[in-house]
Amino acid sequence: MSQNILEVKNLKINFSTFAGTVQAIRNVSFDLRKGETLAIVGESGSGKSVTTRSIMGLLASNAQIKSGEIKFKGQDLLKESAKEMDHHRGNDISMIFQDPMTSLDPTMTIGKQVAEPLLIHGKISKENALKRAQEVLELVGIPNARARMKDYPHQFSGGQRQRIVIAIAIVNYPEILIADEPTTALDVTVQAQIIDLMRELQEKLETSIIFITHDLGVVAGIADRVAVMYAGKIVEYGTVDEIFYEPRHPYTWGLLSSMPTLDIGSHKLASIPGTPPDLLDPPQGDAFAARNPYAMNIDFQAQPPFFQVSETHYAATWLLHPDAPHVDPPAAIQRRFAEYQKLLQAGQVENPIEGSLNE
């Protein structure tokens, strides 16, 4: 098993607002192994971005980290000074943000912006930094990179701007790359190109990736493991196959059932009723109980612990308790599982979900 490069333990983050204290992150724990891609999935407001921004030390001024550890190669980043975090940020750990136009400076040429992280960290001379910038722009697939280094962000397409943002993030060859919904603003064809690019870069640079998204189709194409977040907590995590074909949490069932595929046929696309809870006053029991068609009395009374499904698969749902009644997953989940079993028996390794989305 690969060594953990990042370990987040029992992280709790609150936000002070005029309405009161929002308990945004509630006892989140996960790890990231060297060279792997961990996808964090969930609805808007589930806590995905707040969790990863805390790793970078980029939380808003009204945020308070109440407890927990964020260990990078054994060092707790929450105990690091501002100067030490400046060294890590953009050097050891980099981030790709969702909208490239807000990430790029419209008044600076692309070459200078890609070279800037090298100069900030004082690694090489300006001349060599510009040479490295050209190499990285070529690496991420910018045509005629040498000439285009003198161009400005508005002279590039949306997909090219996202490639430039990726170039800025990897120019220092970071050990961890956090991608915060990097394909959301792009069309489907460009999304696929960016996903392929990130896979290629990971192989070449041996970078570990945390990929934040609400798009489960994207997860199927890039992730090794998946953590599903809801209302500031991780409710299920496992390998990508376990989450897609043998999910155990009703929230994961809902997310997968609402994901369109080309083979959906006459089956009605499902949706998750209701809205996430107000984290100014989190519910006493399972935060998903009010939206869960399979909820039992205990779901409204106590938060479920994590139950182990396999060595790599855990889910926080009372349905896994030995005394809970048997509940079959929705028909859409059963169809995917049956398809997966057929592929296993045939000895095929292709991901049928990925294929159905990208055909």
Side-chain angles (χ1 to χ4, degrees), residues 187-253:
D187 62 54
V188 176
T189 303
V190 180
Q191 279 186 18
Q193 293 173 358
I194 295 299
I195 294 300
D196 288 342
L197 170 63
M198 293 190 67
R199 279 196 295 238
E200 292 171 9
L201 292 174
Q202 184 176 36
E203 292 177 4
K204 292 177 181 178
L205 305 179
E206 298 183 345
T207 299
S208 303
I209 297 176
I210 299 177
F211 197 97
I212 307 167
T213 185
H214 63 272
D215 187 340
L216 285 162
V218 171
V219 169
I222 194 170
D224 298 303
R225 290 189 298 147
V226 181
V228 181
M229 284 195 77
Y230 183 77
K233 297 175 72 74
I234 291 177
V235 297
E236 183 167 11
Y237 62 91
T239 66
V240 67
D241 284 347
E242 288 168 336
I243 296 300
F244 271 95
Y245 303 113
E246 300 184 80
R248 295 303 181 93
H249 198 285
Y251 178 61
T252 313
W253 292 350

Short mmCIF file of all heavy atoms in Angstrom, two decimals, residues 187-253:
data_model
loop_
_atom_site.label_atom_id
_atom_site.label_comp_id
_atom_site.label_asym_id
_atom_site.label_seq_id
_atom_site.Cartn_x
_atom_site.Cartn_y
_atom_site.Cartn_z
N ASP A 187 -17.40 22.99 -21.79
CA ASP A 187 -18.33 22.09 -22.46
C ASP A 187 -17.80 20.65 -22.36
O ASP A 187 -16.67 20.41 -21.97
CB ASP A 187 -18.55 22.49 -23.92
CG ASP A 187 -17.29 22.44 -24.76
OD1 ASP A 187 -16.63 21.37 -24.78
OD2 ASP A 187 -16.94 23.45 -25.39
N VAL A 188 -18.66 19.69 -22.71
CA VAL A 188 -18.36 18.28 -22.47
C VAL A 188 -17.08 17.83 -23.19
O VAL A 188 -16.27 17.08 -22.62
CB VAL A 188 -19.56 17.40 -22.92
CG1 VAL A 188 -19.22 15.92 -22.77
CG2 VAL A 188 -20.79 17.74 -22.10
N THR A 189 -16.88 18.27 -24.42
CA THR A 189 -15.70 17.86 -25.17
C THR A 189 -14.42 18.37 -24.51
O THR A 189 -13.44 17.61 -24.35
CB THR A 189 -15.77 18.39 -26.62
OG1 THR A 189 -16.97 17.92 -27.23
CG2 THR A 189 -14.57 17.93 -27.42
N VAL A 190 -14.42 19.63 -24.10
CA VAL A 190 -13.24 20.21 -23.45
C VAL A 190 -13.05 19.59 -22.07
O VAL A 190 -11.91 19.37 -21.63
CB VAL A 190 -13.37 21.75 -23.35
CG1 VAL A 190 -12.15 22.35 -22.68
CG2 VAL A 190 -13.55 22.34 -24.75
N GLN A 191 -14.15 19.27 -21.37
CA GLN A 191 -14.04 18.58 -20.09
C GLN A 191 -13.23 17.30 -20.23
O GLN A 191 -12.32 17.03 -19.44
CB GLN A 191 -15.43 18.23 -19.56
CG GLN A 191 -16.17 19.36 -18.87
CD GLN A 191 -17.47 18.88 -18.25
OE1 GLN A 191 -17.66 17.68 -18.06
NE2 GLN A 191 -18.36 19.80 -17.96
N ALA A 192 -13.58 16.51 -21.25
CA ALA A 192 -12.88 15.24 -21.47
C ALA A 192 -11.40 15.47 -21.74
O ALA A 192 -10.54 14.71 -21.27
CB ALA A 192 -13.53 14.49 -22.62
N GLN A 193 -11.07 16.53 -22.49
CA GLN A 193 -9.68 16.84 -22.79
C GLN A 193 -8.91 17.21 -21.52
O GLN A 193 -7.76 16.79 -21.33
CB GLN A 193 -9.61 17.98 -23.80
CG GLN A 193 -10.15 17.62 -25.18
CD GLN A 193 -10.23 18.83 -26.10
OE1 GLN A 193 -9.92 19.95 -25.70
NE2 GLN A 193 -10.65 18.60 -27.33
N ILE A 194 -9.54 18.01 -20.65
CA ILE A 194 -8.88 18.43 -19.41
C ILE A 194 -8.67 17.23 -18.48
O ILE A 194 -7.61 17.10 -17.84
CB ILE A 194 -9.70 19.53 -18.70
CG1 ILE A 194 -9.75 20.79 -19.56
CG2 ILE A 194 -9.12 19.83 -17.32
CD1 ILE A 194 -8.40 21.42 -19.85
N ILE A 195 -9.66 16.33 -18.41
CA ILE A 195 -9.52 15.13 -17.59
C ILE A 195 -8.37 14.26 -18.10
O ILE A 195 -7.54 13.77 -17.32
CB ILE A 195 -10.83 14.32 -17.57
CG1 ILE A 195 -11.93 15.11 -16.85
CG2 ILE A 195 -10.62 12.98 -16.88
CD1 ILE A 195 -11.62 15.47 -15.42
N ASP A 196 -8.31 14.08 -19.42
CA ASP A 196 -7.21 13.31 -20.00
C ASP A 196 -5.87 13.97 -19.70
O ASP A 196 -4.88 13.28 -19.40
CB ASP A 196 -7.40 13.19 -21.52
CG ASP A 196 -8.54 12.26 -21.90
OD1 ASP A 196 -8.95 11.45 -21.03
OD2 ASP A 196 -9.04 12.35 -23.04
N LEU A 197 -5.83 15.30 -19.78
CA LEU A 197 -4.61 16.03 -19.50
C LEU A 197 -4.15 15.80 -18.06
O LEU A 197 -2.96 15.55 -17.80
CB LEU A 197 -4.82 17.53 -19.75
CG LEU A 197 -3.70 18.46 -19.28
CD1 LEU A 197 -2.41 18.16 -20.03
CD2 LEU A 197 -4.11 19.91 -19.46
N MET A 198 -5.08 15.86 -17.11
CA MET A 198 -4.71 15.68 -15.71
C MET A 198 -4.21 14.28 -15.44
O MET A 198 -3.27 14.08 -14.65
CB MET A 198 -5.90 16.02 -14.81
CG MET A 198 -6.28 17.50 -14.85
SD MET A 198 -7.49 17.98 -13.61
CE MET A 198 -6.51 17.75 -12.11
N ARG A 199 -4.80 13.30 -16.11
CA ARG A 199 -4.30 11.92 -15.96
C ARG A 199 -2.87 11.79 -16.49
O ARG A 199 -2.01 11.15 -15.87
CB ARG A 199 -5.23 10.95 -16.68
CG ARG A 199 -6.48 10.58 -15.91
CD ARG A 199 -7.14 9.35 -16.49
NE ARG A 199 -7.64 9.59 -17.84
CZ ARG A 199 -8.90 9.43 -18.21
NH1 ARG A 199 -9.80 9.04 -17.34
NH2 ARG A 199 -9.27 9.66 -19.45
N GLU A 200 -2.62 12.41 -17.65
CA GLU A 200 -1.28 12.35 -18.23
C GLU A 200 -0.25 13.04 -17.34
O GLU A 200 0.85 12.53 -17.12
CB GLU A 200 -1.29 13.01 -19.61
CG GLU A 200 -2.10 12.25 -20.66
CD GLU A 200 -2.25 13.04 -21.95
OE1 GLU A 200 -1.60 14.10 -22.07
OE2 GLU A 200 -3.03 12.62 -22.82
N LEU A 201 -0.62 14.22 -16.81
CA LEU A 201 0.29 14.96 -15.95
C LEU A 201 0.59 14.19 -14.67
O LEU A 201 1.72 14.21 -14.17
CB LEU A 201 -0.30 16.34 -15.63
CG LEU A 201 -0.41 17.31 -16.79
CD1 LEU A 201 -1.14 18.58 -16.35
CD2 LEU A 201 0.97 17.66 -17.34
N GLN A 202 -0.43 13.53 -14.14
CA GLN A 202 -0.22 12.76 -12.91
C GLN A 202 0.79 11.65 -13.13
O GLN A 202 1.65 11.39 -12.29
CB GLN A 202 -1.55 12.19 -12.42
CG GLN A 202 -1.42 11.45 -11.09
CD GLN A 202 -2.76 10.97 -10.58
OE1 GLN A 202 -3.62 10.56 -11.35
NE2 GLN A 202 -2.95 11.03 -9.28
N GLU A 203 0.70 10.98 -14.29
CA GLU A 203 1.64 9.92 -14.60
C GLU A 203 3.06 10.46 -14.76
O GLU A 203 4.03 9.85 -14.31
CB GLU A 203 1.20 9.18 -15.86
CG GLU A 203 -0.08 8.38 -15.70
CD GLU A 203 -0.51 7.73 -16.99
OE1 GLU A 203 0.23 7.84 -17.99
OE2 GLU A 203 -1.60 7.10 -17.01
N LYS A 204 3.18 11.62 -15.42
CA LYS A 204 4.50 12.19 -15.68
C LYS A 204 5.13 12.79 -14.43
O LYS A 204 6.33 12.67 -14.21
CB LYS A 204 4.40 13.25 -16.78
CG LYS A 204 4.06 12.70 -18.15
CD LYS A 204 3.91 13.81 -19.18
CE LYS A 204 3.55 13.26 -20.54
NZ LYS A 204 3.35 14.33 -21.56
N LEU A 205 4.33 13.46 -13.61
CA LEU A 205 4.86 14.18 -12.46
C LEU A 205 4.72 13.42 -11.14
O LEU A 205 5.26 13.85 -10.13
CB LEU A 205 4.15 15.54 -12.32
CG LEU A 205 4.19 16.45 -13.55
CD1 LEU A 205 3.42 17.74 -13.26
CD2 LEU A 205 5.62 16.76 -13.95
N GLU A 206 3.98 12.30 -11.15
CA GLU A 206 3.72 11.50 -9.95
C GLU A 206 3.09 12.34 -8.84
O GLU A 206 3.43 12.23 -7.66
CB GLU A 206 5.01 10.84 -9.46
CG GLU A 206 5.61 9.86 -10.47
CD GLU A 206 6.84 9.16 -9.94
OE1 GLU A 206 7.39 9.62 -8.92
OE2 GLU A 206 7.23 8.15 -10.54
N THR A 207 2.18 13.21 -9.24
CA THR A 207 1.50 14.10 -8.29
C THR A 207 0.26 13.42 -7.73
O THR A 207 -0.45 12.71 -8.44
CB THR A 207 1.08 15.40 -8.99
OG1 THR A 207 2.26 16.06 -9.47
CG2 THR A 207 0.34 16.33 -8.05
N SER A 208 -0.01 13.64 -6.44
CA SER A 208 -1.26 13.19 -5.83
C SER A 208 -2.31 14.26 -6.09
O SER A 208 -2.02 15.46 -6.01
CB SER A 208 -1.08 12.97 -4.33
OG SER A 208 -0.06 12.04 -4.07
N ILE A 209 -3.55 13.86 -6.38
CA ILE A 209 -4.59 14.80 -6.75
C ILE A 209 -5.81 14.64 -5.85
O ILE A 209 -6.25 13.52 -5.57
CB ILE A 209 -5.03 14.62 -8.22
CG1 ILE A 209 -3.86 14.92 -9.17
CG2 ILE A 209 -6.22 15.52 -8.55
CD1 ILE A 209 -4.19 14.67 -10.64
N ILE A 210 -6.33 15.77 -5.36
CA ILE A 210 -7.65 15.81 -4.74
C ILE A 210 -8.56 16.50 -5.73
O ILE A 210 -8.35 17.67 -6.07
CB ILE A 210 -7.63 16.57 -3.40
CG1 ILE A 210 -6.69 15.88 -2.40
CG2 ILE A 210 -9.04 16.64 -2.81
CD1 ILE A 210 -6.57 16.63 -1.07
N PHE A 211 -9.56 15.79 -6.20
CA PHE A 211 -10.44 16.29 -7.26
C PHE A 211 -11.82 16.55 -6.67
O PHE A 211 -12.51 15.63 -6.24
CB PHE A 211 -10.52 15.27 -8.39
CG PHE A 211 -11.04 15.82 -9.68
CD1 PHE A 211 -10.18 16.23 -10.67
CD2 PHE A 211 -12.40 15.94 -9.90
CE1 PHE A 211 -10.65 16.75 -11.87
CE2 PHE A 211 -12.90 16.45 -11.09
CZ PHE A 211 -12.01 16.86 -12.08
N ILE A 212 -12.22 17.82 -6.62
CA ILE A 212 -13.52 18.20 -6.06
C ILE A 212 -14.52 18.36 -7.20
O ILE A 212 -14.25 19.05 -8.17
CB ILE A 212 -13.40 19.54 -5.31
CG1 ILE A 212 -12.29 19.49 -4.28
CG2 ILE A 212 -14.72 19.91 -4.64
CD1 ILE A 212 -11.92 20.85 -3.72
N THR A 213 -15.67 17.72 -7.05
CA THR A 213 -16.67 17.82 -8.11
C THR A 213 -18.04 17.39 -7.60
O THR A 213 -18.15 16.70 -6.59
CB THR A 213 -16.28 16.95 -9.33
OG1 THR A 213 -17.20 17.15 -10.40
CG2 THR A 213 -16.26 15.48 -8.96
N HIS A 214 -19.07 17.81 -8.32
CA HIS A 214 -20.41 17.27 -8.10
C HIS A 214 -20.80 16.37 -9.25
O HIS A 214 -21.88 15.78 -9.25
CB HIS A 214 -21.44 18.42 -7.98
CG HIS A 214 -21.54 19.24 -9.24
ND1 HIS A 214 -20.73 20.33 -9.49
CD2 HIS A 214 -22.34 19.10 -10.33
CE1 HIS A 214 -21.04 20.82 -10.67
NE2 HIS A 214 -22.01 20.11 -11.20
N ASP A 215 -19.92 16.24 -10.24
CA ASP A 215 -20.19 15.48 -11.46
C ASP A 215 -19.63 14.07 -11.31
O ASP A 215 -18.43 13.84 -11.43
CB ASP A 215 -19.55 16.18 -12.66
CG ASP A 215 -19.93 15.55 -13.99
OD1 ASP A 215 -20.35 14.39 -13.99
OD2 ASP A 215 -19.80 16.23 -15.02
N LEU A 216 -20.51 13.11 -11.05
CA LEU A 216 -20.07 11.74 -10.83
C LEU A 216 -19.49 11.10 -12.09
O LEU A 216 -18.67 10.19 -12.01
CB LEU A 216 -21.23 10.91 -10.29
CG LEU A 216 -21.56 11.19 -8.82
CD1 LEU A 216 -22.94 10.69 -8.47
CD2 LEU A 216 -20.53 10.58 -7.91
N GLY A 217 -19.91 11.57 -13.26
CA GLY A 217 -19.34 11.05 -14.50
C GLY A 217 -17.86 11.36 -14.61
O GLY A 217 -17.07 10.54 -15.06
N VAL A 218 -17.48 12.55 -14.17
CA VAL A 218 -16.07 12.93 -14.17
C VAL A 218 -15.29 12.06 -13.19
O VAL A 218 -14.18 11.61 -13.48
CB VAL A 218 -15.93 14.42 -13.79
CG1 VAL A 218 -14.47 14.79 -13.56
CG2 VAL A 218 -16.52 15.30 -14.89
N VAL A 219 -15.87 11.79 -12.04
CA VAL A 219 -15.22 10.97 -11.02
C VAL A 219 -14.88 9.59 -11.56
O VAL A 219 -13.79 9.05 -11.34
CB VAL A 219 -16.13 10.84 -9.77
CG1 VAL A 219 -15.58 9.80 -8.82
CG2 VAL A 219 -16.24 12.19 -9.08
N ALA A 220 -15.82 9.01 -12.32
CA ALA A 220 -15.61 7.67 -12.85
C ALA A 220 -14.40 7.61 -13.77
O ALA A 220 -13.76 6.57 -13.89
CB ALA A 220 -16.86 7.22 -13.62
N GLY A 221 -14.07 8.74 -14.38
CA GLY A 221 -12.98 8.75 -15.34
C GLY A 221 -11.62 9.08 -14.77
O GLY A 221 -10.62 8.92 -15.46
N ILE A 222 -11.55 9.54 -13.50
CA ILE A 222 -10.25 10.01 -13.01
C ILE A 222 -9.86 9.47 -11.63
O ILE A 222 -8.69 9.37 -11.32
CB ILE A 222 -10.21 11.56 -12.98
CG1 ILE A 222 -8.76 12.04 -12.81
CG2 ILE A 222 -11.14 12.13 -11.91
CD1 ILE A 222 -8.59 13.54 -13.00
N ALA A 223 -10.84 9.10 -10.79
CA ALA A 223 -10.54 8.83 -9.38
C ALA A 223 -10.08 7.40 -9.14
O ALA A 223 -10.46 6.46 -9.85
CB ALA A 223 -11.77 9.11 -8.53
N ASP A 224 -9.24 7.25 -8.11
CA ASP A 224 -8.91 5.93 -7.55
C ASP A 224 -9.84 5.62 -6.39
O ASP A 224 -10.35 4.52 -6.27
CB ASP A 224 -7.46 5.90 -7.08
CG ASP A 224 -6.47 6.14 -8.20
OD1 ASP A 224 -6.52 5.38 -9.18
OD2 ASP A 224 -5.68 7.10 -8.12
N ARG A 225 -10.02 6.62 -5.51
CA ARG A 225 -10.94 6.49 -4.39
C ARG A 225 -11.88 7.69 -4.37
O ARG A 225 -11.58 8.74 -4.94
CB ARG A 225 -10.18 6.42 -3.06
CG ARG A 225 -9.40 5.12 -2.87
CD ARG A 225 -8.85 5.02 -1.45
NE ARG A 225 -7.92 6.09 -1.17
CZ ARG A 225 -7.78 6.66 0.03
NH1 ARG A 225 -8.53 6.28 1.04
NH2 ARG A 225 -6.89 7.62 0.21
N VAL A 226 -13.02 7.52 -3.69
CA VAL A 226 -14.04 8.55 -3.65
C VAL A 226 -14.51 8.75 -2.21
O VAL A 226 -14.74 7.77 -1.49
CB VAL A 226 -15.26 8.18 -4.52
CG1 VAL A 226 -16.31 9.28 -4.48
CG2 VAL A 226 -14.82 7.92 -5.97
N ALA A 227 -14.64 10.02 -1.80
CA ALA A 227 -15.26 10.37 -0.52
C ALA A 227 -16.51 11.17 -0.82
O ALA A 227 -16.46 12.17 -1.53
CB ALA A 227 -14.29 11.19 0.34
N VAL A 228 -17.64 10.72 -0.31
CA VAL A 228 -18.92 11.39 -0.53
C VAL A 228 -19.22 12.25 0.69
O VAL A 228 -19.26 11.75 1.81
CB VAL A 228 -20.05 10.36 -0.75
CG1 VAL A 228 -21.37 11.08 -1.00
CG2 VAL A 228 -19.72 9.44 -1.92
N MET A 229 -19.43 13.56 0.46
CA MET A 229 -19.69 14.49 1.55
C MET A 229 -21.14 14.94 1.54
O MET A 229 -21.74 15.15 0.48
CB MET A 229 -18.78 15.72 1.46
CG MET A 229 -17.36 15.49 1.89
SD MET A 229 -16.45 17.04 2.19
CE MET A 229 -17.12 17.53 3.80
N TYR A 230 -21.67 15.13 2.75
CA TYR A 230 -23.02 15.67 2.90
C TYR A 230 -23.09 16.45 4.21
O TYR A 230 -22.70 15.94 5.27
CB TYR A 230 -24.07 14.57 2.91
CG TYR A 230 -25.49 15.10 3.00
CD1 TYR A 230 -26.10 15.65 1.88
CD2 TYR A 230 -26.19 15.07 4.20
CE1 TYR A 230 -27.39 16.17 1.95
CE2 TYR A 230 -27.48 15.59 4.28
CZ TYR A 230 -28.07 16.14 3.16
OH TYR A 230 -29.33 16.66 3.23
N ALA A 231 -23.55 17.69 4.14
CA ALA A 231 -23.77 18.53 5.32
C ALA A 231 -22.54 18.59 6.22
O ALA A 231 -22.63 18.46 7.44
CB ALA A 231 -24.98 18.03 6.11
N GLY A 232 -21.38 18.79 5.60
CA GLY A 232 -20.15 18.98 6.37
C GLY A 232 -19.50 17.72 6.89
O GLY A 232 -18.55 17.80 7.67
N LYS A 233 -19.98 16.54 6.46
CA LYS A 233 -19.40 15.28 6.93
C LYS A 233 -19.16 14.36 5.74
O LYS A 233 -19.87 14.44 4.73
CB LYS A 233 -20.35 14.57 7.91
CG LYS A 233 -20.61 15.34 9.19
CD LYS A 233 -21.66 14.64 10.05
CE LYS A 233 -21.12 13.38 10.69
NZ LYS A 233 -20.19 13.66 11.79
N ILE A 234 -18.18 13.48 5.85
CA ILE A 234 -18.02 12.41 4.89
C ILE A 234 -18.95 11.28 5.31
O ILE A 234 -18.90 10.81 6.46
CB ILE A 234 -16.56 11.92 4.82
CG1 ILE A 234 -15.68 13.00 4.18
CG2 ILE A 234 -16.46 10.63 4.00
CD1 ILE A 234 -14.21 12.66 4.13
N VAL A 235 -19.83 10.84 4.40
CA VAL A 235 -20.82 9.83 4.75
C VAL A 235 -20.48 8.46 4.15
O VAL A 235 -21.02 7.45 4.57
CB VAL A 235 -22.24 10.26 4.32
CG1 VAL A 235 -22.66 11.51 5.07
CG2 VAL A 235 -22.33 10.48 2.81
N GLU A 236 -19.60 8.45 3.14
CA GLU A 236 -19.19 7.17 2.55
C GLU A 236 -17.88 7.37 1.83
O GLU A 236 -17.65 8.41 1.21
CB GLU A 236 -20.25 6.63 1.59
CG GLU A 236 -19.92 5.26 1.01
CD GLU A 236 -21.09 4.59 0.31
OE1 GLU A 236 -22.12 5.27 0.09
OE2 GLU A 236 -20.98 3.39 -0.01
N TYR A 237 -17.00 6.38 1.92
CA TYR A 237 -15.80 6.42 1.09
C TYR A 237 -15.34 5.01 0.77
O TYR A 237 -15.60 4.06 1.50
CB TYR A 237 -14.67 7.24 1.73
CG TYR A 237 -14.14 6.74 3.06
CD1 TYR A 237 -13.07 5.86 3.14
CD2 TYR A 237 -14.68 7.20 4.26
CE1 TYR A 237 -12.56 5.43 4.34
CE2 TYR A 237 -14.19 6.77 5.48
CZ TYR A 237 -13.13 5.89 5.52
OH TYR A 237 -12.64 5.46 6.73
N GLY A 238 -14.70 4.91 -0.40
CA GLY A 238 -14.23 3.62 -0.86
C GLY A 238 -13.55 3.78 -2.20
O GLY A 238 -13.35 4.90 -2.69
N THR A 239 -13.20 2.68 -2.84
CA THR A 239 -12.62 2.74 -4.17
C THR A 239 -13.69 3.22 -5.15
O THR A 239 -14.89 3.16 -4.86
CB THR A 239 -12.09 1.38 -4.62
OG1 THR A 239 -13.19 0.48 -4.78
CG2 THR A 239 -11.10 0.81 -3.60
N VAL A 240 -13.27 3.65 -6.32
CA VAL A 240 -14.23 4.16 -7.30
C VAL A 240 -15.23 3.08 -7.70
O VAL A 240 -16.42 3.35 -7.87
CB VAL A 240 -13.50 4.75 -8.53
CG1 VAL A 240 -12.78 3.68 -9.32
CG2 VAL A 240 -14.47 5.53 -9.41
N ASP A 241 -14.79 1.83 -7.81
CA ASP A 241 -15.71 0.74 -8.16
C ASP A 241 -16.71 0.49 -7.04
O ASP A 241 -17.89 0.25 -7.30
CB ASP A 241 -14.93 -0.55 -8.45
CG ASP A 241 -14.26 -0.53 -9.82
OD1 ASP A 241 -14.59 0.36 -10.62
OD2 ASP A 241 -13.39 -1.38 -10.07
N GLU A 242 -16.24 0.54 -5.79
CA GLU A 242 -17.15 0.30 -4.66
C GLU A 242 -18.22 1.38 -4.58
O GLU A 242 -19.40 1.09 -4.32
CB GLU A 242 -16.35 0.25 -3.36
CG GLU A 242 -15.52 -1.01 -3.21
CD GLU A 242 -14.52 -0.95 -2.08
OE1 GLU A 242 -14.13 0.16 -1.69
OE2 GLU A 242 -14.11 -2.02 -1.59
N ILE A 243 -17.84 2.63 -4.81
CA ILE A 243 -18.82 3.72 -4.72
C ILE A 243 -19.80 3.69 -5.88
O ILE A 243 -20.99 3.96 -5.71
CB ILE A 243 -18.08 5.08 -4.66
CG1 ILE A 243 -17.24 5.18 -3.38
CG2 ILE A 243 -19.08 6.23 -4.74
CD1 ILE A 243 -18.04 5.07 -2.09
N PHE A 244 -19.33 3.34 -7.07
CA PHE A 244 -20.21 3.36 -8.24
C PHE A 244 -21.09 2.13 -8.35
O PHE A 244 -22.23 2.22 -8.82
CB PHE A 244 -19.38 3.52 -9.52
CG PHE A 244 -19.16 4.95 -9.89
CD1 PHE A 244 -18.01 5.61 -9.50
CD2 PHE A 244 -20.12 5.67 -10.59
CE1 PHE A 244 -17.80 6.94 -9.81
CE2 PHE A 244 -19.93 7.00 -10.90
CZ PHE A 244 -18.76 7.63 -10.52
N TYR A 245 -20.58 0.97 -7.93
CA TYR A 245 -21.32 -0.25 -8.20
C TYR A 245 -21.89 -0.92 -6.95
O TYR A 245 -22.83 -1.70 -7.03
CB TYR A 245 -20.42 -1.24 -8.95
CG TYR A 245 -19.89 -0.66 -10.23
CD1 TYR A 245 -18.53 -0.39 -10.38
CD2 TYR A 245 -20.75 -0.35 -11.27
CE1 TYR A 245 -18.05 0.16 -11.55
CE2 TYR A 245 -20.27 0.21 -12.45
CZ TYR A 245 -18.92 0.46 -12.58
OH TYR A 245 -18.45 1.02 -13.74
N GLU A 246 -21.33 -0.63 -5.78
CA GLU A 246 -21.83 -1.21 -4.55
C GLU A 246 -21.98 -0.15 -3.44
O GLU A 246 -21.52 -0.36 -2.32
CB GLU A 246 -20.91 -2.33 -4.08
CG GLU A 246 -20.77 -3.48 -5.06
CD GLU A 246 -19.93 -4.61 -4.52
OE1 GLU A 246 -20.45 -5.41 -3.74
OE2 GLU A 246 -18.73 -4.67 -4.86
N PRO A 247 -22.57 1.00 -3.75
CA PRO A 247 -22.72 2.04 -2.72
C PRO A 247 -23.66 1.56 -1.62
O PRO A 247 -24.58 0.77 -1.87
CB PRO A 247 -23.33 3.21 -3.50
CG PRO A 247 -24.08 2.56 -4.62
CD PRO A 247 -23.25 1.37 -5.01
N ARG A 248 -23.46 2.07 -0.40
CA ARG A 248 -24.28 1.62 0.71
C ARG A 248 -25.04 2.76 1.40
O ARG A 248 -25.96 2.49 2.17
CB ARG A 248 -23.38 0.90 1.74
CG ARG A 248 -22.77 -0.38 1.22
CD ARG A 248 -23.83 -1.37 0.75
NE ARG A 248 -23.27 -2.63 0.28
CZ ARG A 248 -23.11 -3.70 1.05
NH1 ARG A 248 -23.48 -3.66 2.32
NH2 ARG A 248 -22.59 -4.79 0.56
N HIS A 249 -24.64 4.00 1.17
CA HIS A 249 -25.35 5.10 1.84
C HIS A 249 -26.50 5.60 0.95
O HIS A 249 -26.32 5.76 -0.26
CB HIS A 249 -24.38 6.25 2.12
CG HIS A 249 -24.90 7.21 3.15
ND1 HIS A 249 -25.89 8.14 2.88
CD2 HIS A 249 -24.58 7.38 4.46
CE1 HIS A 249 -26.15 8.84 3.96
NE2 HIS A 249 -25.38 8.39 4.94
N PRO A 250 -27.67 5.84 1.52
CA PRO A 250 -28.81 6.32 0.72
C PRO A 250 -28.52 7.62 -0.03
O PRO A 250 -29.07 7.84 -1.11
CB PRO A 250 -29.92 6.52 1.76
CG PRO A 250 -29.58 5.58 2.86
CD PRO A 250 -28.07 5.55 2.92
N TYR A 251 -27.65 8.47 0.51
CA TYR A 251 -27.32 9.70 -0.20
C TYR A 251 -26.53 9.38 -1.47
O TYR A 251 -26.77 9.96 -2.53
CB TYR A 251 -26.51 10.63 0.70
CG TYR A 251 -26.09 11.91 0.02
CD1 TYR A 251 -27.03 12.81 -0.48
CD2 TYR A 251 -24.74 12.24 -0.12
CE1 TYR A 251 -26.65 13.98 -1.11
CE2 TYR A 251 -24.35 13.41 -0.74
CZ TYR A 251 -25.31 14.27 -1.23
OH TYR A 251 -24.92 15.44 -1.87
N THR A 252 -25.60 8.44 -1.38
CA THR A 252 -24.85 8.01 -2.56
C THR A 252 -25.79 7.38 -3.57
O THR A 252 -25.65 7.59 -4.79
CB THR A 252 -23.74 7.03 -2.17
OG1 THR A 252 -23.01 7.53 -1.05
CG2 THR A 252 -22.76 6.82 -3.32
N TRP A 253 -26.76 6.60 -3.10
CA TRP A 253 -27.77 6.04 -4.00
C TRP A 253 -28.48 7.16 -4.76
O TRP A 253 -28.71 7.06 -5.96
CB TRP A 253 -28.82 5.24 -3.21
CG TRP A 253 -28.31 3.98 -2.59
CD1 TRP A 253 -27.09 3.39 -2.82
CD2 TRP A 253 -28.99 3.14 -1.67
NE1 TRP A 253 -26.97 2.24 -2.07
CE2 TRP A 253 -28.13 2.05 -1.35
CE3 TRP A 253 -30.24 3.18 -1.06
CZ2 TRP A 253 -28.49 1.04 -0.47
CZ3 TRP A 253 -30.61 2.18 -0.17
CH2 TRP A 253 -29.74 1.12 0.12
#
